[in-house]
Amino acid sequence: MAPGVPALLLLLLLLPSPLPGLPPRAAGCPAACRCYSATVECGALRLRAIPPGIPLGTQTLFLQDNSIARLEPGALAPLAALRRLYLHNNSLHALEPDTFRAQSRLLELALTGNRLRGLRGGAFAGLAQLRVLYLAGNQLERLLDFTFLHLPRLQELHLQDNSIELLEDQALVGLSSLALLDLSRNQLGTISREALRPLASLQVLRLTENPWRCDCALHWLGTWIKEGGQRLLSSRDKKIVCAEPPRLALQSLLDVSGSSLICIPPSVHVDPLEMTANLGEDLRVACQASGYPQPLVTWRKVSQPREGRPRAQAQAEGEAPGLGGHGAPDTGSGMLFLTNISLAHAGKYECEASNAGGAARVPFQLLVNLSQQQRLPAPPSPPAAGPVSREPLYEAGSMAFRALGLATQTAIAAGIALLALTALLLAAMICRKRRKRKKAAGPPGESVLFVNDYSDGPCTFAQLEELRDERGHEMFVIDRSKPLFTEGPVAEALPDRAPAEGAAPGSAPGLLFPPPVAYELHC
């Protein structure tokens, strides 16, 4: 045997052999990962997704400290044997429903230090055997009803270091085996007795370092801790410090008397109580609410019950178009936003403000006004047909109003053009008649009085005949030496005289003589 061969054989014997159920490293371990026993270690490799090639028999998978932002659907489906999955310190933004559907044997799931802002319903479906769930250090703001419904055997739920400000009453339903609940270092202002009621096996409760609002809604917590709940709290956890109201700030909840934990019932105000909006407009209505704690304001549309239907059912279905769910909640000043108003928006609305002290409601009426474009155009009729009937307005859903508006505009334009043409024809007829009248009048100068100045004395009728001009106009002789009227305006003496033709030299240039002398006419 060649020298060195025994040493080589000894080295091969000392190397770990492939484990049962796991293929050789070259064929069954992802690149850059480390695989040993039933464990696969892929931490801190800058991974953006779950690497392919993970052995099917893997029971513990380390994927921490990577950049995984999303768990692709079905990425974990082949790993049905998983017992522990560590995904902490990644970039997960959301968990899709049924992400862990195939992990029915999973006992521990670590999602600490990700960027989860919310948990969808069904995110933990399939994890019937899960014992420990780490969700600390995320960006969770609300825990909605039935979030943990599929975790009947969960014993530890770590939710510390988030931004949770609302824990809904049914959020923890299904956690009948939960022994430890950590809600410390969040933004909780209050918590209801109903929210903790499903936790029949609870042994440790951590609520410290939250901005607790010490009012009537938190009265039960102080009483519960004093009566027996203190067994769930360590000496550190018992320091539930009030953040508001200011008069109780920095005081321990256990040191505040029950009579100091008060609430002010809400009052609500809507102005005006009735509004009229046009079709297609946008509308904002403010609902001002006051009270302590700050009331939650909700808008909802109230439908009128139909015949044969229970009133409660009718109201449940009466939601306003544009409102999500049963209303649009807001805190303090609730705004009702309606866009592109139609006839469906018309009706009665209700603004409700509620807090731990009670609830108050105010009705609001919205009327919808049909604009001129939504009126049916009246068909054109001759003048003798009588007055035009006014048809009623039709509902918005009965016809294509956009097409009707265009037709109305076309009809109006045609009517205006017809009126303009009629006016032009009338003007042309009037001008034509005036021209005919001018042509039918006598020759120019027929009614003009021609005056000639013969100051050498009166004349006879025979002489007047001789003085007619070539057109036959009679001429009169003026004797300037005989004033006929007293001094006065010439216009009154001869109001209708026209300028004289053929006046003698030196005479006035027309029939109206210069004032103030008038002369006698001789013939």
Side-chain angles (χ1 to χ4, degrees):
M1 184 176 294
V5 172
L8 179 61
L9 292 175
L10 180 61
L11 180 62
L12 291 175
L13 291 174
L14 292 176
L15 289 175
S17 60
L19 295 172
L22 284 178
R25 176 181 174 84
C29 192
C33 296
R34 292 175 293 175
C35 301
Y36 50 92
S37 182
T39 301
V40 176
E41 171 64 58
C42 298
L45 296 179
R46 300 181 181 178
L47 299 176
R48 296 183 177 274
I50 296 177
I54 298 175
L56 300 182
T58 300
Q59 297 181 9
T60 304
L61 177 58
F62 289 93
L63 291 168
Q64 77 282 359
D65 302 313
N66 282 292
S67 301
I68 300 174
R70 184 171 182 264
L71 296 178
E72 298 293 337
L76 296 172
L79 306 177
L82 276 179
R83 298 292 191 274
R84 294 171 180 83
L85 176 59
Y86 300 100
L87 281 163
H88 50 283
N89 299 332
N90 275 277
S91 301
L92 292 172
H93 289 83
L95 297 177
E96 301 295 333
D98 299 329
T99 298
F100 306 103
R101 174 69 69 177
Q103 279 65 55
S104 59
R105 301 180 183 179
L106 196 66
L107 301 176
E108 187 173 350
L109 175 60
L111 297 169
T112 304
N114 280 275
R115 300 178 182 177
L116 298 173
R117 299 183 63 88
L119 298 174
R120 301 182 181 181
F124 303 110
L127 300 178
Q129 301 297 326
L130 193 67
R131 300 295 197 274
V132 183
L133 176 58
Y134 295 96
L135 287 167
N138 280 276
Q139 301 172 12
L140 299 175
E141 297 179 353
R142 297 188 174 192
L143 294 180
L144 305 180
D145 289 338
F146 311 112
T147 299
F148 306 103
L149 183 63
H150 303 284
L151 305 175
R153 296 193 179 183
L154 190 68
Q155 297 177 0
E156 296 183 19
L157 178 56
H158 297 267
L159 291 164
Q160 67 272 20
D161 296 302
N162 278 280
S163 300
I164 301 172
E165 59 183 15
L166 175 63
L167 182 67
E168 293 192 352
D169 290 348
Q170 306 297 320
L172 303 177
V173 168
L175 299 179
S176 58
S177 300
L178 193 67
L180 183 150
L181 174 61
D182 194 343
L183 286 167
S184 60
R185 297 188 295 279
N186 276 281
Q187 296 298 318
L188 286 170
T190 189
I191 188 171
S192 67
R193 182 191 294 267
E194 288 73 19
L196 299 182
R197 197 180 298 277
L199 309 181
S201 303
L202 192 63
Q203 298 179 17
V204 178
L205 177 62
R206 296 172 182 168
L207 298 173
T208 56
E209 300 183 55
N210 280 281
W212 295 108
R213 185 178 62 246
C214 295
D215 56 22
C216 64
L218 212 60
H219 183 278
W220 76 270
L221 182 59
T223 304
W224 173 75
I225 293 175
K226 293 176 182 178
E227 291 178 353
Q230 56 184 347
R231 63 180 178 80
L232 305 180
L233 306 175
S234 65
S235 58
R236 174 176 172 270
D237 295 330
K238 291 178 183 178
K239 296 178 181 179
I240 299 177
V241 179
C242 301
E244 55 175 299
R247 61 186 178 84
L248 300 178
L250 302 180
Q251 296 187 38
S252 174
L253 176 63
L254 300 180
D255 297 335
V256 177
S257 63
S259 60
S260 298
L261 301 175
I262 62 174
C263 295
I264 301 176
S267 62
V268 62
H269 176 70
V270 175
D271 186 29
L273 295 176
E274 180 177 310
M275 291 184 66
T276 301
N278 296 323
L279 286 175
E281 290 183 347
D282 297 337
L283 180 67
R284 288 196 314 170
V285 183
C287 180
Q288 301 290 339
S290 61
Y292 185 82
Q294 189 68 43
L296 180 70
V297 180
T298 305
W299 278 97
R300 57 173 56 88
K301 186 172 183 188
V302 182
S303 66
Q304 299 298 326
R306 300 176 184 174
E307 296 182 0
R309 289 202 316 175
R311 182 177 181 84
Q313 179 184 0
Q315 290 188 356
E317 297 176 1
E319 298 174 4
L323 289 177
H326 290 282
D330 193 4
T331 302
S333 175
M335 296 296 298
L336 172 64
F337 294 94
L338 297 176
T339 59
N340 193 19
I341 289 178
S342 64
L343 286 180
H345 289 92
K348 293 183 179 180
Y349 292 77
E350 186 177 76
C351 175
E352 178 182 277
S354 61
N355 64 8
R361 300 175 182 86
V362 169
F364 171 75
Q365 180 78 26
L366 176 62
L367 306 176
V368 176
N369 181 33
L370 297 179
S371 62
Q372 293 295 330
Q373 291 187 355
Q374 275 71 45
R375 297 180 182 272
L376 284 178
S381 57
V388 179
S389 63
R390 297 176 179 243
E391 295 293 335
L393 299 176
Y394 288 83
E395 294 184 359
S398 62
M399 61 177 59
F401 273 85
R402 293 183 179 179
L404 180 61
L406 181 60
T408 304
Q409 294 176 4
T410 305
I412 292 174
I416 293 174
L418 183 60
L419 290 174
L421 181 60
T422 303
L424 290 175
L425 292 176
L426 289 174
M429 293 174 61
I430 293 173
C431 293
R432 187 175 180 183
K433 288 183 178 180
R434 288 182 176 178
R435 290 177 182 175
K436 287 183 177 180
R437 289 177 180 175
K438 289 181 179 181
K439 291 180 179 180
E446 180 179 357
S447 59
V448 176
L449 176 64
F450 290 88
V451 180
N452 204 344
D453 185 6
Y454 290 89
S455 46
D456 52 351
C459 59
T460 63
F461 284 99
Q463 290 174 328
L464 286 175
E465 289 292 334
E466 295 176 358
L467 294 175
R468 290 180 182 274
D469 66 347
E470 67 274 6
R471 294 187 180 181
H473 293 123
E474 195 171 13
M475 304 188 70
F476 297 86
V477 178
I478 297 176
D479 187 355
R480 296 182 184 274
S481 62
K482 295 182 179 181
L484 181 61
F485 305 107
T486 59
E487 294 185 1
V490 179
E492 292 180 5
L494 298 173
D496 296 325
R497 299 299 183 181
E501 267 186 32
S507 65
L511 175 63
L512 298 179
F513 307 110
V517 180
Y519 300 93
E520 181 182 3
L521 300 179
H522 293 268
C523 57

